[in-house]
Amino acid sequence: MTTAAVPDAAEIARLQGRTVRVLAAGQVLGGVAFGATVSLGALLAADLSGRESLSGFATASVTLGAALCAIPLARLAGRRGRRFALTLGNVFALVGIAIVILAAAIRSFPLLLAGVILIGAGNAGNLQSRFAATDLATPQRRGRDLGTVVWATTVGGVLGPLMTTPGEVVGAAIGMPPLTGAYLFSIVAQIAALVLYLVTLRPDPLMLAQRVALSSGSSGPVVESDRPVAARYAMLAVAASHVVMASVMAMTPIHLSHLAGVGTGHAGHGDTTAVTQLVGVTIALHVFGMYGASPLFGWLADRLGRVNTVLIGLGILVMSLLTLTLWPDEHAAVIVGLFLLGLGWSAGTVAGSALLTEATPLARRPRRQGLSDTTMTASAAVGAVLAGIVLETFGYGTLALIALSVVAVTAALSPLGRR
């Protein structure tokens, strides 16, 4: 497409609708693989390492992989388009899944972490889907379009953890290592997502947005200013929401195995199905909280403002962490706390991402978006490692209490987001 052939506003709106639908379908498929990793990563890490204090390294590795690849993938998107970056992420995830299965078979903890890092690299592509939904969006619909794509992860994200029990049955039938059967479904989903992006994400939304900007002489379909202070607060809000969610969520499978009276070492193999079912249901509800209400938070971000919606999310995180601090040994309380944890993450991520996009001109967006994802995932990687130590030393309730301090600092700095 040449500059002279840039479509009009009505055609751009039609293409934006189709782009959101394609991205949403890709998120459904990508969420299956990530949901399985969330549910099984900590259990596999504890089993292969023989130490529960190292269980947080699984979540740390998946977030480290996302952190390492967020900026390179964002730069690739800026040069070659969103489609290239998203499909490359799918390839990383497929290779990572294969390595995780091999690591479980030969019982290699370092190889497991290498595989999970690659899955995290694939998740970096999935994370950038929400920004791809804003490339052609108008400010009046930016939050809702972003929230719609985040919401689509609900299906895959909930389905992934629920696949742990049937996956174990299928995996055992074909001789797969324990705790890896669900990855069979992940492989199929990742291949389908790769084909979907290659075939249907045309024209590329970011490339088209850049052509529109060149044609109109503006920063995009609507002229926007650069607000670096607000952009930095947006990065903080997204990173804080994510590190709180990831740190607590990463330790929940281990904590639930304690509540069920089931070990995670070699001796626990006979109880694998009971543990995976307990963990799968709880994490599935948590993931539903993460993604299910994202269109609502997108709408609120468009109507009430980005910073106000971030504060709503922080308030929900406070309720979650207080629940987990006061009743850490009650399974029902853990379920409620994890569900609220997901809701708070959703509000902070959707509103923060929308604030970052609108506070940044089009030419700088891929770079800042990549920096935001790197900050978010790197901080979560560190948080997950420290969370394992805190869990083993002080307990689950103390972990939630420490996370509460991160929420308090982020709320106190919220005036920066209005500059």
Side-chain angles (χ1 to χ4, degrees):
M1 182 184 298
T2 64
T3 302
V6 170
D8 59 19
E11 178 65 10
I12 290 176
R14 186 189 69 81
L15 291 173
Q16 168 66 358
R18 191 182 72 176
T19 297
V20 170
R21 291 191 293 272
V22 171
L23 293 171
Q27 286 296 90
V28 170
L29 297 168
V32 172
F34 186 64
T37 302
V38 167
S39 297
L40 299 176
L43 295 174
L44 275 170
D47 180 45
L48 297 184
S49 68
R51 294 188 60 187
E52 290 184 351
S53 61
L54 299 182
S55 58
F57 276 76
T59 299
S61 295
V62 77
T63 51
L64 176 62
L68 291 174
C69 286
I71 290 178
L73 284 177
R75 288 178 175 174
L76 282 172
R79 292 197 302 266
R80 302 188 59 178
R82 300 288 189 187
R83 183 172 63 252
F84 182 83
L86 291 175
T87 52
L88 184 58
N90 289 136
V91 172
F92 286 152
L94 282 168
V95 175
I97 292 169
I99 292 176
V100 166
I101 295 173
L102 175 62
I106 66 175
R107 302 200 59 78
S108 171
F109 180 63
L111 189 61
L112 170 72
L113 298 184
V116 174
I117 286 174
L118 283 174
I119 293 176
N123 191 48
N126 272 349
L127 288 172
Q128 291 185 14
S129 292
R130 72 191 194 278
F131 292 126
T134 68
D135 289 332
L136 296 172
T138 62
Q140 293 77 17
R141 287 198 56 87
R142 182 170 290 137
R144 277 168 283 184
D145 286 349
L146 191 152
T148 297
V149 172
V150 174
W151 171 86
T153 313
T154 307
V155 180
V158 172
L159 187 61
L162 292 179
M163 288 291 100
T164 53
T165 300
E168 281 299 287
V169 175
V170 175
I174 63 176
M176 291 184 67
L179 300 174
T180 63
Y183 286 112
L184 286 174
F185 304 110
S186 300
I187 291 173
V188 175
Q190 285 291 342
I191 292 174
L194 190 152
V195 173
L196 174 73
Y197 290 138
L198 280 176
V199 174
T200 62
L201 196 58
R202 299 174 183 274
D204 188 280
L206 183 55
M207 295 292 98
L208 178 57
Q210 290 173 351
R211 292 189 183 104
V212 171
L214 288 174
S215 175
S216 63
S218 70
S219 63
V222 176
V223 177
E224 295 174 315
S225 60
D226 188 9
R227 299 162 55 205
V229 175
R232 285 193 288 270
Y233 179 75
M235 294 181 193
L236 171 64
V238 172
S241 299
H242 193 68
V243 71
V244 167
M245 182 278 297
S247 300
V248 176
M249 178 272 297
M251 294 301 102
T252 299
I254 302 300
H255 181 62
L256 289 175
S257 71
H258 292 165
L259 295 184
V262 177
T264 53
H266 279 288
H269 283 172
D271 300 303
T272 294
T273 301
V275 176
T276 55
Q277 185 173 18
L278 179 64
V279 171
V281 171
T282 304
I283 297 299
L285 290 173
H286 165 69
V287 173
F288 179 77
M290 288 175 64
Y291 303 116
S294 55
L296 170 62
F297 292 127
W299 178 81
L300 287 175
D302 289 338
R303 294 296 299 272
L304 301 181
R306 319 305 187 197
V307 177
N308 288 338
T309 307
V310 167
L311 290 173
I312 290 173
L314 295 176
I316 297 173
L317 287 176
V318 169
M319 291 189 291
S320 164
L321 297 171
L322 285 177
T323 300
L324 298 176
T325 299
L326 296 174
W327 301 285
D329 297 328
E330 298 292 332
H331 186 213
V334 173
I335 291 178
V336 171
L338 263 287
F339 177 72
L340 292 174
L341 189 72
L343 283 179
W345 175 91
S346 180
T349 300
V350 169
S353 298
L355 176 61
L356 174 62
T357 298
E358 73 179 16
T360 306
L362 179 63
R364 297 182 181 180
R365 281 181 197 167
R367 181 178 179 180
R368 281 189 186 170
Q369 289 165 349
L371 178 60
S372 176
D373 281 351
T374 296
T375 304
M376 173 183 74
T377 50
S379 59
V382 175
V385 172
L386 296 178
I389 299 173
V390 172
L391 178 69
E392 186 176 52
T393 306
F394 301 106
Y396 192 69
T398 302
L399 173 63
L401 188 61
I402 293 173
L404 192 60
S405 64
V406 178
V407 176
V409 171
T410 307
L413 294 176
S414 63
L416 297 175
R418 304 183 190 278
R419 291 188 181 180

